[in-house]
């Protein structure tokens, strides 16, 4: 199947605000017709070309257009501007025929309106701007900042001045009308946006700014404004150089726009500028402003470049430039004619070639399918092509010499395109291999070189060079001191010719490394001349007749401490002896850490002059302190600390839990774990105290529980349960089956009315605590005791009516009813009772009925009832 390349343009301008969406783009270009009637004038035909969507329901193309012409030197309108120009004619361009295998293909058809007029202009240096403006681009453009409404449009043409074309003449290049094609969202596409030039100038292409009109609510602009114009407000992720995102670029040599279309269908503003090169410089730029309509469509397509040159290495990665979910198979042939295995069924294969050369690559997608497609590509493989350059020169308004350093293993270097990175100019370019350029401003310049070879390899390198107002001079020092018998070299770096003054005791005065031997302090000045670009600087050489040296007084330090030695001297080199204990014996102020008393001698040098001095450092040991071993104690107990010292005085901290902090062996009784710090001073000469710490760890307080007080009947087994430790001891042993476990069983014969048991509990460290419980013994059978009356008056006596179950395993219920049979209280807990209130309201004196049901310790059910009197 023949491959179908589908691209769709929608260009935008505005004729009327109400029907703005019918205009889809425009451009202004000019043709040189010859000299004018008057000397130093030229005659031009000016053309405005406006595009309209044929299917629009909006207004027709305007019958007239207002076009302004402005002098670039001052933005003044020329005589007769603005020019009212009639519509000359309208052409129809459309995509014809049926497009097979396309999902959701749109219908593309345009009207192109032409406006012509002839004007005579004076030849000037700057040239002229030509401007046509209208209100209101289409709303909702995808690559502009939302809401992007009422944004105007400006179409701009340019006529070059004599400063760029000299005595020659120039006509605009003309873009070809290739506007009836389709772009599907998230699909690779290629758009030929090339132009032709009647003057034979070399053309390059770039994406440039789409201009805003800023004239809403006017619709027809009868008096266009001169530049500058504001850009349309590009949205996040878009700009004039990336109007479709970073995945779409333009080939600067061919005008081919290609890449992956945005993933979201919609309208996208794009402007393309074509630059005219003559004699290695840009002389003019022409632009076209349009909207690309990215459609919600898809198709099967195999797409490869017609030809490609690979210049990196012998491993080449391949991919279909038009991927689609409709593609389910890939058949690659990598063009090696001597073997059969140079194939792949992967969507994005990589093939390692054995040699350089030219290969015919073929791709078939969906082979055998009615909507299959194929593509071929001529691949030239010439690795190890590396662009590079060097430069000499750094001064503003002085020539900078650029030298091409590119290398090509295959073929010969045959073209160079330089952009010298001067942001204020468009003619900072060259096509020479080793050009010379003079920068008019200082600053960092991004210099770009695009180099090519006869094998078709092209690559780009960019370097930053810094242009200065004068060549830099870098001294290794600017102020130094020498002895009067010394000589001194003054090294300095810089590019150019050096001249030193004064001519006093100096050798090699025209170099960057002179030798001086002044007898008095002297300022030496240097001038650096680099191709007429000059700079001056100076250095002072101070001269002394002898060395000055004085060390501080002898001192005392504590052993293991350091002390910084700070002599007073004018020397520049230093030598300490001995070196033991010094962190650096060759600096002015080393740190000394001797282990014993030491005398250090310093020799201070000033060139050939020197002087010596010494300092004695007496070393005294720190006071000796041992706070004793760490201990662990039980909560609420004490421990004696046992410290020893060699010193004259000591101090314990903290002191609050010590019985006597003035002793070396005080008794410590802390409630919490505590670190006791012992500070010791002496009178032997060490001015610093020594410290040691002893930790007293206090184990947590035991939480011992023997159980709640209870009641039993004679010979009823009672299970005791203690907690809070790891060992247990019960007393008295009366009736207990085992006094050494946490849960012994008590069996009492009734010889006592009650027994109070005590349990002593210890933890794993042997810390002890105790608890007890009271057991009441009844000589009756299992029974629930309920008093006959109670007095809930808050005096703490008989305030609550509660059951007392004896010999019972559990109470199933205890309930209290008033005289009307209303339940006023219920519980299943032995010893829990009623406080005489119903819903928070105190009851008056009255008689109530109670009922109780329980199960005794033998498993036998028990039931009882009775009355009780509430007394107020």
């Amino acid at each position: 199947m023949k491959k179908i390349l589908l691209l769709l343009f929608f260009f935008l301008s505005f004729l009327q605000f109400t029907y703005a969406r019918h205009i889809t783009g425009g451009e202004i270009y000019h043709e040189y017709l010859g000299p004018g009637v008057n000397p130093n004038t030229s005659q031009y035909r000016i053309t405005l070309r406006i595009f309209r969507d044929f299917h629009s329901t909006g207004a027709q193309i305007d019958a007239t257009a207002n076009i302004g012409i402005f002098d670039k030197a001052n933005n003044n309108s020329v005589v007769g501007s603005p020019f009212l120009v009639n519509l000359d004619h309208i052409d129809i361009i459309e995509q014809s025929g049926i497009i097979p295998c396309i999902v959701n293909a749109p219908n593309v058809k345009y009207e192109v309106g032409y406006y012509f007029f002839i004007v005579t202009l004076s030849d000037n240096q700057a040239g002229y701007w030509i401007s046509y403006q209208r209100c209101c681009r289409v709303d909702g453009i995808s690559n502009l900042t939302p809401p992007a409404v009422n944004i105007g449009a400006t179409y701009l043409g340019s006529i070059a001045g004599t400063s760029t074309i000299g005595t020659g003449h120039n006509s605009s290049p003309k873009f070809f009308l290739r506007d009836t094609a389709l772009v599907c969202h998230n699909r690779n596409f290629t758009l030929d946006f090339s132009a032709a030039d009647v003057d034979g100038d070399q053309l390059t292409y770039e994406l440039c700014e789409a201009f805003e009109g800023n004239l809403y609510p006017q619709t027809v602009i009868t008096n266009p404004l001169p530049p500058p114009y504001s850009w349309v407000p590009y949205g996040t992720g878009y700009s004039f150089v990336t109007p479709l995102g970073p995945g779409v670029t333009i080939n600067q040599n061919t005008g081919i726009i290609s890449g992956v279309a945005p993933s979201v269908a919609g309208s996208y503003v794009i402007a393309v500028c074509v630059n005219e090169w003559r004699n290695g410089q840009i002389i003019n730029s022409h632009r076209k402003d349009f909207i690309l309509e990215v459609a919600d469509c898809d198709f099967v397509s195999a797409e490869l470049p017609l030809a490609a040159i690979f210049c990196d290495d012998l491993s080449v990665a391949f991919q279909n430039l038009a991927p689609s979910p409709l593609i389910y198979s890939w058949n690659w042939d990598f063009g090696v004619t001597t073997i059969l295995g140079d194939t792949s069924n992967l969507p994005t294969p990589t093939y390692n070639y054995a040699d350089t050369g030219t290969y015919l690559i073929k791709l078939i997608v969906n082979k055998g399918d009615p909507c299959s497609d194929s593509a071929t590509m001529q691949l030239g493989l010439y690795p190890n092509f590396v662009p590079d350059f060097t430069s000499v020169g750094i001064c503003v308004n002085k020539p900078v010499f650029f030298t091409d350093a590119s290398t090509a293993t295959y073929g010969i270097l045959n073209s160079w395109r330089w952009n010298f990175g001067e942001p204020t100019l468009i003619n900072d370019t060259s096509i020479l291999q080793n050009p010379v350029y003079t920068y008019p401003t200082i600053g960092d310049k991004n210099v770009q070189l695009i180099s090519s070879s006869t094998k078709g390899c092209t690559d780009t390198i960019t370097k930053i060079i810094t242009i200065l107002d004068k060549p830099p001079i870098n001294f290794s020092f600017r102020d130094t001191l020498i002895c009067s018998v010394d000589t001194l070299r003054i090294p300095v770096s810089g590019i150019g010719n050096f001249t030193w003054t004064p001519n006093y005791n100096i050798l090699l005065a025209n170099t960057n490394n002179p030798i001086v031997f002044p007898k008095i302090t002297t300022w030496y000045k240097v001038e650096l001349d680099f191709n007429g670009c000059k700079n001056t600087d100076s250095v002072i050489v101070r001269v002394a007749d002898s060395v000055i040296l004085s060390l501080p007084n002898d001192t005392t330090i504590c052993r293991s401490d350091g002390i910084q030695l700070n002599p007073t001297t004018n020397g520049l080199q230093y030598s300490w002896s001995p070196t033991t204990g010094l962190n650096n014996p060759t600096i002015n102020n080393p740190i000394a850490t001797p282990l014993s008393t030491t005398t250090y001698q310093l020799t201070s040098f000033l060139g050939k002059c020197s002087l010596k001095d010494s300092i004695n450092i007496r070393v005294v040991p720190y006071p000796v302190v041992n706070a004793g071993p760490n201990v662990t104690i039980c909560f609420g107990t004490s421990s004696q600390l046992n410290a020893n010292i060699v010193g004259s005085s000591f101090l314990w901290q903290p002191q609050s839990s010590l019985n006597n902090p003035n002793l070396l062996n005080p008794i410590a009784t802390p409630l919490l774990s505590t670190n006791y710090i012992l500070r010791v001073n002496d009178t032997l000469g060490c001015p610093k105290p020594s410290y040691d710490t002893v930790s007293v760890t206090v184990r947590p307080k035991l939480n011992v529980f023997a159980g709640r007080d209870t009641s039993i009947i004679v010979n009823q087994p009672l299970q005791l349960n203690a907690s809070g430790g790891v060992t247990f001891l019960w007393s008295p042993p009366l009736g207990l089956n085992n006094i050494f476990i946490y849960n012994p069983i008590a069996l009492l014969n009734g010889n006592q009315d009650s027994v109070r048991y005590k349990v002593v509990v210890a933890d794993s460290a042997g810390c002890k605590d105790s608890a007890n419980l009271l057991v009441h013994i009844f000589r009756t059978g299992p029974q629930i005791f309920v008093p006959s009356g109670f007095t809930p008056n808050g005096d703490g006596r008989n305030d609550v009516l509660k059951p007392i179950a004896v010999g019972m395993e559990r109470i199933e219920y205890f309930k209290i009813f008033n005289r009307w049979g209303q339940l006023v209280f219920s519980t299943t807990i032995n010893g829990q009772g009623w406080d005489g209130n119903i819903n928070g309201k105190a009851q008056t004196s009255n008689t109530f009925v109670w009922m109780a049901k329980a199960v005794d310790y033998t498993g036998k059910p028990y039931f009882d009832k009775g009355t009780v009197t509430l007394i107020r």
Side-chain angles (χ1 to χ4, degrees), residues 739-867:
I739 63 173
F740 300 108
I741 61 176
Y742 75 94
N743 58 345
I745 296 176
L747 188 64
L748 300 171
N749 56 18
N751 293 332
Q752 299 86 12
D753 294 332
S754 65
V755 176
R756 182 175 293 278
Y757 287 109
K758 176 181 178 181
V759 61
V760 177
V761 179
D763 63 12
S764 58
C767 295
K768 297 180 179 180
D769 204 348
S770 65
N772 57 68
L773 81 159
L774 179 64
V775 180
H776 294 279
I777 306 168
F778 291 87
R779 296 180 180 85
T780 65
Q783 189 172 351
I784 295 178
F785 296 95
V786 180
S788 59
F790 74 111
T791 56
N793 56 7
D795 62 357
R797 294 181 298 173
N798 201 26
D799 287 331
V800 178
L801 175 65
K802 56 186 177 181
I804 299 176
V806 179
M808 298 297 175
E809 178 184 347
R810 67 181 183 274
I811 296 177
E812 293 194 349
Y813 65 77
F814 175 72
K815 298 180 180 180
I816 301 174
F817 301 87
N818 61 18
R819 61 182 178 176
W820 294 283
Q822 179 183 4
L823 178 67
V824 300
F825 179 76
S826 178
T827 186
T828 60
I829 300 173
N830 186 26
Q832 187 180 72
W834 180 47
D835 61 359
N837 295 316
I838 299 177
N839 296 328
K841 183 177 181 180
Q843 302 298 297
T844 59
S845 297
N846 215 325
T847 300
F848 295 83
V849 177
W850 60 268
M851 299 176 65
K853 183 179 180 181
V855 177
D856 68 17
Y857 73 93
T858 66
K860 181 179 179 180
Y862 173 88
F863 178 81
D864 199 0
K865 61 181 178 179
T867 59

Side-chain angles (χ1 to χ4, degrees), residues 301-610:
S301 176
E303 185 175 336
L304 299 173
L306 296 178
I309 303 296
F310 192 77
C311 302
D312 292 338
D313 51 41
L314 294 175
S315 178
V316 183
F318 297 92
Q319 67 173 354
N320 182 14
L321 297 181
S324 169
L326 303 175
I327 299 176
Y328 58 84
S329 71
W330 299 263
N331 294 85
W332 293 89
D333 187 324
F334 300 121
V336 183
T337 58
T338 57
I339 60 175
L340 298 177
D342 61 327
T343 61
S344 176
N345 294 321
L346 298 176
T348 56
T350 297
Y351 187 75
N352 295 316
Y353 287 88
D355 199 0
T356 61
T358 303
Y359 301 89
L360 181 64
I361 314 302
K362 185 173 183 179
L363 168 65
I364 304 174
V365 295
N366 294 0
K367 187 176 182 179
D369 191 281
C371 286
S372 175
D373 196 15
S374 65
T376 60
M377 175 182 71
Q378 193 84 12
L379 174 65
L381 194 58
Y382 305 104
N384 302 321
F385 179 82
V386 180
D388 197 7
F389 68 87
T390 60
S391 65
V392 176
I394 56 174
C395 287
V396 68
N397 297 320
K398 298 294 180 182
V400 179
F401 299 87
F402 293 91
T403 301
D404 170 46
S406 304
T407 56
T409 304
Y410 301 93
I412 300 173
L413 293 165
N414 66 343
S415 72
W416 304 264
R417 187 179 303 282
W418 297 83
N419 186 318
F420 300 118
E422 181 58 51
T424 59
L425 300 176
I426 63 173
N427 62 347
D428 59 330
T429 57
S430 177
I431 58 174
L432 299 177
Q433 182 178 10
N434 301 308
V436 179
Y437 185 72
T438 300
Y439 285 93
T441 63
I442 64 174
D444 290 340
K445 312 297 180 179
N446 289 294
V447 181
Q448 180 189 78
L449 168 63
I450 303 172
S451 55
S452 303
S453 73
T454 54
K455 292 297 185 181
C457 293
T458 299
D459 204 350
T460 302
I461 184 171
T462 300
K463 295 183 180 180
I464 297 176
I465 68 170
T466 302
I467 301 301
L468 307 172
D469 60 343
K470 51 190 175 183
I473 300 174
N474 297 309
F475 284 104
S476 57
F477 57 86
R478 292 181 178 276
D479 189 339
T480 190
L481 179 68
I482 66 173
C483 196
S484 59
V485 297
D486 290 333
T487 59
L488 173 70
R489 285 192 179 271
I490 308 178
V492 60
S493 62
I495 301 175
N497 298 317
F498 295 87
T499 303
W500 291 86
T501 57
N503 189 22
Y504 164 65
N505 288 5
I506 185 170
L507 301 176
L508 306 176
N510 293 318
T511 71
N512 65 337
N513 200 20
I515 299 174
V516 298
F517 45 94
K519 302 307 177 183
I520 59 173
T521 298
T522 303
W523 277 97
Y524 287 98
K525 297 181 180 179
V526 62
E527 179 184 81
L528 177 59
D529 186 342
F530 182 66
N531 294 331
C533 180
K534 298 180 180 181
N535 191 11
T536 59
D537 208 339
S538 60
V539 60
I540 186 171
V541 180
R542 305 179 187 275
V543 180
D545 293 329
S546 61
V547 178
I548 299 172
L549 175 60
S550 174
L551 281 169
N553 294 330
D554 296 344
T555 187
T556 299
I557 64 171
C558 301
R559 181 176 292 135
S560 76
D561 282 358
I563 183 173
Q564 188 162 33
L565 307 180
N566 290 293
T568 300
T569 181
N570 63 350
L572 300 179
Q573 291 84 37
Y574 316 95
S575 176
W576 290 87
S577 178
T579 61
T580 304
L582 297 180
N583 67 326
N584 189 337
T586 62
I587 63 175
N588 179 30
N589 53 350
I591 295 176
T593 314
L595 297 179
S596 60
T597 298
T598 304
T599 298
Y600 288 103
Q601 183 182 76
L602 170 62
T603 303
S604 180
F605 297 90
L606 183 59
K608 297 177 181 178
C609 302
S610 65

Side-chain angles (χ1 to χ4, degrees), residues 181-201:
L182 173 73
V183 171
C184 295
H185 71 98
N186 210 30
R187 292 296 308 274
N188 278 70
F189 72 94
T190 301
L191 168 64
D192 185 356
F193 210 78
S194 58
D197 188 74
V198 297
D199 302 313
D201 294 323

Side-chain angles (χ1 to χ4, degrees), residues 156-337:
L156 184 66
S158 173
I159 297 176
T162 59
S163 63
T164 58
I165 62 175
T167 58
H169 303 283
N170 187 56
S171 296
S172 297
K174 294 181 183 179
F175 287 103
F176 296 111
L177 286 179
R178 298 187 177 108
D179 306 303
T180 56
L182 173 73
V183 171
C184 295
H185 71 98
N186 210 30
R187 292 296 308 274
N188 278 70
F189 72 94
T190 301
L191 168 64
D192 185 356
F193 210 78
S194 58
D197 188 74
V198 297
D199 302 313
D201 294 323
Q202 186 178 0
L203 303 181
T204 61
Y205 303 85
E206 60 184 343
L207 295 167
C208 53
E209 307 90 336
F211 291 131
E212 187 177 359
N214 290 333
L215 298 170
Y216 178 80
Q218 300 180 65
T219 26
V220 177
I221 310 303
T222 59
N223 193 12
L225 297 176
Y229 305 114
S230 299
W231 304 348
V232 293
Y234 293 98
T236 302
Y238 301 101
S239 68
F240 72 85
V241 293
T242 57
L244 298 175
V248 177
T249 58
I250 189 170
N251 186 302
Q252 67 173 6
N253 296 315
T254 64
I256 300 295
I257 297 176
S258 62
V260 180
S263 59
V264 179
S267 302
Y268 293 80
V269 174
I270 300 178
V272 173
C273 288
V274 54
N275 300 313
E276 299 176 84
W277 293 73
R278 189 178 298 178
N279 298 323
Q281 293 186 340
I282 295 177
I283 62 171
N284 202 28
S285 183
H286 172 55
R287 68 176 56 227
K288 185 177 181 179
D289 181 341
F290 64 100
I291 282 184
L292 174 65
E293 183 71 18
V294 178
D296 185 11
C297 58
D298 199 3
F299 56 90
V300 173
S301 176
E303 185 175 336
L304 299 173
L306 296 178
I309 303 296
F310 192 77
C311 302
D312 292 338
D313 51 41
L314 294 175
S315 178
V316 183
F318 297 92
Q319 67 173 354
N320 182 14
L321 297 181
S324 169
L326 303 175
I327 299 176
Y328 58 84
S329 71
W330 299 263
N331 294 85
W332 293 89
D333 187 324
F334 300 121
V336 183
T337 58

Side-chain angles (χ1 to χ4, degrees), residues 1-6 95-105 182 184 297-301 326 369-373:
M1 173 184 173
K2 184 179 179 181
K3 180 172 68 173
I4 302 169
L5 180 61
L6 300 174
Q95 174 198 338
S96 59
I98 299 175
I99 306 175
C101 299
I102 304 300
V103 179
N104 196 28
L182 173 73
C184 295
C297 58
D298 199 3
F299 56 90
V300 173
S301 176
L326 303 175
D369 191 281
C371 286
S372 175
D373 196 15

